[in-house]
Amino acid sequence: MRELDYRDAIKEACIEEMDRDPRVFLIGEDIGVYGGAFRAYSGLLDKYGPERVINTPISEQAILGGAIGAALTGYRPVAEIMFIDFCTLAMDQIVNQAAKIKYMTGDALNVPMVLRTQGGAGRGIAAQHSQSLEAWFYHIPGLKVVMPATSYDVKGLLKTAIRDNDPVVFIEHKMIYLNKGPVPEEEYTIPFGVADIKREGKDVTIFAYSNMLFKALEAADDLAKEGISCEVFDPRTLVPLDIDALINSVKKTNKLVVVSEAAERGSIASDIMAIVNDKAFDYLDGPIKRVCGLNSAIPYNSKLEQACIPHKESIIKAVKEII
Amino acid sequence: MEKLSKELQVLMLKKLIEIRRFEERTVQYYQRSKIWGYLHPYIGEEAVAVGACTAIKKEDYIISTHRGHGHAIAKGADLNKMMAELFGKATGYCKGRGGSMHIADTELGMLGANGIVGGGIPISVGAGLSCKMENKGRVILCFFGDGAANNGVFHESVNMSAMFKLPVIYICENNLYAISMCSRDSVAGNDIAGRAKGYGIPGYKVDGSDVIEVFETVEKAVDYARKGNGPSLIEASTYIFLGHHPNDPAAYRPKGEAEHEKSKRDCLTNFKTKLINEKIITEAQIDEIEKDTEKRIDAAVEFAESSPEPELEKFLSEVMS
């Protein structure tokens, strides 16, 4: 099968959906000639023109309000917020408007929009450009939260997000845009709420998403050499979450390690632990372990930055503690 | 500009009366706890909504504020569904989920009231984008208050609409008060319309108690927008007769201010007098409109009272799914 960069898979999803549906358009900062901060949209301005690739001033509230208003009136916008850190400038539009409009208007209105953004550490860009804020959105009823790790998943899930009738927060990771992965030529979509077992195993389940998936796979490789068989579970979408698949995996392995790059306090990992405790405690043979980021701002210095986020070694250590 | 037809003026009078009486009734039912939570009466400001909404077509959009009943009624909202919503009933506009601050009606292009001050302003940018993309000459009226004009989102939105020449008409209802904060003490330069100059768009200051002046100005801005010239900013000077909500005695206002405004600048009284003086309508005909309006509001209350509550079981099953 051919291989595509993660960012080219994003572009291909946009092209296919824009060709399929004239209501789909892109809006965001520096997405015109510049092609987006991570160049996922390079060439799209030429292909679709400024009416469908709308390059905006630095106005996060107006970008997302613009997407919401267009969604309310028949369009399907894909709004890009350059860094997830900048979503903080427009939380009213995300939390009080996009997430609530359908519910509070008694289904009179709905908001079919995608908020595309990216987060995560690893580029030495410090505290305001490296956060993992997915838990903020996960917490809000009315938002779907998608965090694909591979080229295959990012393409299939972005197409589904664009077709979804509700607001979707689509979070990429800045360290994986140039990762290559197999993407079929023929069209496909991936439904929300369907996890993917990225590696089958029998001794322990490792729950990991976005860039942490790759750390978990590396850990599983090393542990296999020591005779420990890890099942690497990628939820792909955090809302909706494929709880049944997770519990099935736990039933098989009876052990769970949850990995998340975000600061541990109030994290997705904490909630996954609670869910599995509630629903599958009897299948566990030991405590669930969390491997998370430190409760710290992300530092600039590379040594300090790397110390803030989980690595292969920290995952291996956690697995060994419960094996 | 053509002289306004008698029919149109009578229609505007009917709407002014409809909003005034509806709002008076909601205050009564709020005091009887049939309506609860937050209720922000529009009494005194009716001429802004009526003048503005009369200047657009049914297929045009509006987006409103927390003080939004007047905009909805002016755009043609169903009184039964509105009252039922305020009573928290399943037959209300929002099925009892939204209450006073979230009424929306897609059929009427009413993109929702909004509980967040300034929250609707950027959404109007998006509606403006879609009006421009579909290219059918539609426009959106974006209502907001003097309080929202001081929110950062005002700048982002007007700037972006002006850059993209979007057909958005920004209508600031300067009713002098953002809860207790007087716009004289919060708006630097005390000239919201004057900010239009900075964005290179037309700005107008109108007497918001004069329904004809509002109508004519909005009509001009709508025409400008339909021709693809972009947004305008209209500041309508108006006055909020009651406090921020029914339980607010408005003790922060200078003595005599409200009395003066009510006696000199009541948009309804003044418009009635004008139409009678110009022999467009008789007092007897106005009485008839008043009676008919009361009847329709009685019917809305009856509808709301007799409607079922939302089902708890249904709600819980939706939450769990």
Side-chain angles (χ1 to χ4, degrees), chain A residues 213-235:
Chain A
L213 173 70
F214 302 106
K215 312 282 180 194
L217 288 169
E218 286 170 25
D221 274 346
D222 281 16
L223 287 162
K225 289 172 199 153
E226 300 181 37
I228 299 169
S229 163
C230 300
E231 176 141 305
V232 179
F233 181 97
D234 179 2

Side-chain angles (χ1 to χ4, degrees), chain A residues 205 207 256-260 268-269 272-273 288-292:
Chain A
T205 300
F207 176 106
L256 178 63
V257 171
V258 187
V259 188
S260 166
I268 302 291
I272 298 298
M273 286 175 84
I288 304 169
K289 296 297 281 186
R290 261 182 313 187
V291 183
C292 295

Side-chain angles (χ1 to χ4, degrees), chain A residues 250-273:
Chain A
V250 169
K251 278 183 185 171
K252 183 166 79 170
T253 63
N254 311 115
K255 295 188 185 66
L256 178 63
V257 171
V258 187
V259 188
S260 166
E261 181 177 329
E264 183 180 80
R265 189 164 58 222
S267 64
I268 302 291
S270 305
D271 198 52
I272 298 298
M273 286 175 84

Side-chain angles (χ1 to χ4, degrees), chain A residues 25 27 51 54-57 59-63 65-66 68-70 72-73 75 92-93 96-97 101-109, chain B residues 61 93-95 97-98 102 104 106 110-112 114 116 119 122-123 125-127 129-130 132-134 152-153 156-157 159-160 164 315:
Chain A
F25 70 91
I27 182 168
E51 288 257 306
I54 301 174
N55 196 28
T56 69
S59 302
E60 283 77 9
Q61 298 188 82
I63 292 167
I68 293 166
L72 292 177
T73 51
Y75 283 80
D92 170 53
Q93 291 299 311
N96 294 322
Q97 312 297 339
I101 284 173
K102 181 181 177 195
Y103 186 79
M104 71 188 177
T105 63
D107 307 322
L109 301 172
Chain B
Y61 297 111
Y93 260 113
C94 317
K95 302 178 183 167
R97 297 174 188 171
H102 304 298
T106 37
M110 161 65 186
L111 301 181
N114 210 304
I116 305 294
I123 298 175
V125 175
L129 275 172
S130 71
K132 188 179 174 188
M133 286 190 281
E134 69 173 10
V153 77
E156 286 191 19
S157 305
N159 181 63
M160 199 182 285
F164 296 154
F315 169 73

Side-chain angles (χ1 to χ4, degrees), chain B residues 67-141:
Chain B
R67 201 175 299 287
H69 304 166
H71 309 127
I73 294 173
K75 192 73 169 60
D78 181 326
L79 297 187
N80 288 6
K81 286 166 82 174
M82 280 189 66
M83 196 64 89
E85 186 57 35
L86 299 178
F87 279 52
K89 297 299 182 73
T91 54
Y93 260 113
C94 317
K95 302 178 183 167
R97 297 174 188 171
S100 167
M101 293 187 285
H102 304 298
I103 289 167
D105 187 331
T106 37
E107 302 268 300
L108 297 173
M110 161 65 186
L111 301 181
N114 210 304
I116 305 294
V117 169
I121 305 179
I123 298 175
S124 74
V125 175
L129 275 172
S130 71
C131 291
K132 188 179 174 188
M133 286 190 281
E134 69 173 10
N135 199 22
K136 288 181 185 159
R138 275 205 246 199
V139 302
I140 172 159
L141 305 184

